[in-house]
């Protein structure tokens, strides 16, 4: 009885504290993820006041949080949209993989952590945070910008890649043989392919079977189905998170919209618990030794993400200003980086502290790069051009007034929201349900891929 009472007190304190931190982050205008991680560090092993009684419950809640994060992510997209994005954006996805996964893998090898840890750290530095980025796009009023579909396309490819990456990583972490790993990958590919096929061909039938006019019944059926499929996927050595993601993809129309509305508060609660739990399982004393590597890795991968967004936007015909905005928007890391690090801490415990410090740095830096990358690039461009021209002509460095005048000549009209492409064709909403975007709930955890931006296509099928 005493243990139960202590657990209730601890859980009440945790949830109340999360609410206070979420409100504080909202006032400041940043994602609350850094505050959740810091709270976990403060009250975890080696922290100020370690929590003991509620540790097991918190661990279970963290697993549910990951499942709900991926379920809501799947509900944001239709199967046809995922396939279309994969067809058009795969070169950008390949560039994204090479530029951002290689630094993480190289860092793990330099630190002497071994090849398995290298694969894990590559994933940590590769995947951007869909939830944080979606919130930033809404906050900055860029929902109708030309570069926004490019940003979402890169995020969708990363989310799809998780369906292949996570099973491979799980097999490597479990130490299975080459044959076992190949079997796991085949099972994953078969599962993903089957679900995409069913969603494309029979999505309406699946949604009709799940649909209910009773909100309570809809919530129970969708949540129960997601947990059941996630558990079965885990037994098949396919990530439980990927199983939940595929359940979300299979649902469409009013079912997806209703389920998303009902599950969003639950997702917000358990996702916050997940980030706190990750902090709880990390000893704060382990962070200072990896702070410099985390900072160096953050600087390198900030530049590589900006380069990724610039390249992807350039392929899509977006102007120079939009390319810089796309690059700066993709910098933030969050939920997936923490999920991957959480899987890998059993093999290399130092990945946890490094990933915590890394995510803390980039989840704070991400909104700043999204806001200021393009203005800084615009101001630096005439200065660089003037310096190069001065050297070539022997006239020396340009004066301040000359730089300002050159910047005004080069800047031209701002590149913002547009009504249509240059050829006059109507633009398909890159972020659907635009009429609902102002009243969609924002996750306190900053998570929920594509947030107010990415509701499912209601005309699916």
């Amino acid at each position: 009885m005493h243990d139960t009472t202590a657990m209730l007190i601890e859980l009440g304190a945790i949830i109340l504290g999360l609410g206070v931190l979420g409100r504080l982050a909202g006032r400041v205008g940043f994602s609350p993820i850094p505050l959740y991680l810091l709270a976990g560090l403060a009250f975890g092993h080696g922290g100020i006041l370690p929590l003991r009684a509620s540790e097991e419950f918190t661990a279970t809640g963290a697993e549910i949080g990951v499942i709900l994060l991926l379920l809501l992510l799947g509900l944001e997209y239709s199967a046809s949209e995922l396939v279309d994005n994969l067809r058009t954006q795969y070169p950008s996805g390949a560039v994204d993989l090479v530029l951002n996964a290689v630094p993480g893998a190289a860092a793990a090898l330099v630190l002497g952590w071994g090849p398995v840890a290298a694969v894990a750290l590559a994933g940590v530095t590769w995947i951007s945070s869909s939830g944080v980025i979606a919130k930033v796009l809404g906050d900055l009023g860029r929902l109708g910008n030309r570069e926004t579909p490019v940003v979402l396309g890169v995020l969708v490819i990363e989310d799809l890649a998780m369906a292949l990456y996570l099973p491979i990583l799980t097999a490597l972490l479990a130490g299975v043989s080459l044959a076992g790993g190949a079997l796991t990958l085949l099972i994953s590919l078969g599962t993903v392919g089957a679900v995409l096929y069913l969603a494309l061909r029979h999505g309406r039938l699946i949604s009709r079977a799940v649909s209910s006019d009773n909100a309570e019944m809809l919530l129970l059926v969708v949540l129960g189905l997601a947990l059941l499929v996630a558990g079965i996927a885990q037994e098949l050595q396919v990530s439980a998170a990927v199983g939940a993601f595929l359940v979300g993809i299979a649902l469409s129309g009013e079912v997806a919209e209703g389920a998303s509305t009902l599950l969003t508060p639950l997702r917000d609660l358990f996702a916050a618990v997940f980030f706190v739990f990750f902090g709880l399982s990390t000893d704060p004393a382990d962070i200072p030794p990896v702070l410099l590597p985390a900072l160096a890795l953050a600087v390198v991968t900030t530049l590589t993400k900006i380069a990724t967004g610039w390249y992807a936007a350039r392929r899509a015909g977006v102007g120079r200003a939009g390319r810089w905005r796309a690059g700066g928007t993709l910098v933030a890391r969050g939920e997936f980086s923490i999920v991957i690090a959480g899987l890998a801490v059993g093999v290399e415990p130092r990945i946890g502290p490094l990933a915590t410090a890394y995510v803390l740095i980039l989840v704070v830096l991400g909104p700043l790069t999204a806001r200021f990358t393009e203005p800084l690039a615009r101001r630096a461009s005439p200065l660089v051009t003037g310096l190069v021209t001065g050297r070539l002509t022997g006239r020396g460095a340009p004066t301040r007034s000359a730089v300002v005048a050159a910047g005004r000549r080069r800047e031209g009209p701002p590149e913002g929201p547009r009504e249509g492409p240059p050829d006059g064709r109507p633009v398909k909403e890159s972020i659907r349900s635009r009429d609902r975007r102002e009243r969609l709930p924002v996750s306190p955890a900053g998570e929920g891929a594509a947030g107010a931006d990415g509701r499912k296509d209601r005309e699916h099928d």
Side-chain angles (χ1 to χ4, degrees), residues 55-80:
E55 187 173 355
E56 183 176 352
F57 181 89
T58 306
T60 304
E63 293 184 11
I64 296 175
V66 176
I67 291 172
L68 289 176
L69 278 172
L70 272 292
L71 173 63
L72 269 292
L73 175 63
L75 289 172
E76 300 292 344
Y77 303 111
S78 68
S80 58

Side-chain angles (χ1 to χ4, degrees), residues 75 218 252-262 433 436 439-440 455-456 458:
L75 289 172
L218 179 62
S252 62
E254 295 181 359
V255 173
E257 182 178 352
S260 181
T261 301
L262 293 171
S433 301
R436 301 176 59 249
R439 55 189 178 89
L440 286 175
R455 294 295 173 195
K456 276 186 179 283
R458 308 307 170 200

Side-chain angles (χ1 to χ4, degrees), residues 173-201:
L173 294 173
V176 300
S177 63
L178 180 61
L183 179 61
T184 300
L185 182 58
L186 287 175
I187 292 174
S188 176
L189 287 172
T191 303
V192 172
V195 172
L196 288 177
Y197 173 81
L198 291 174
L200 283 168
R201 298 294 184 182

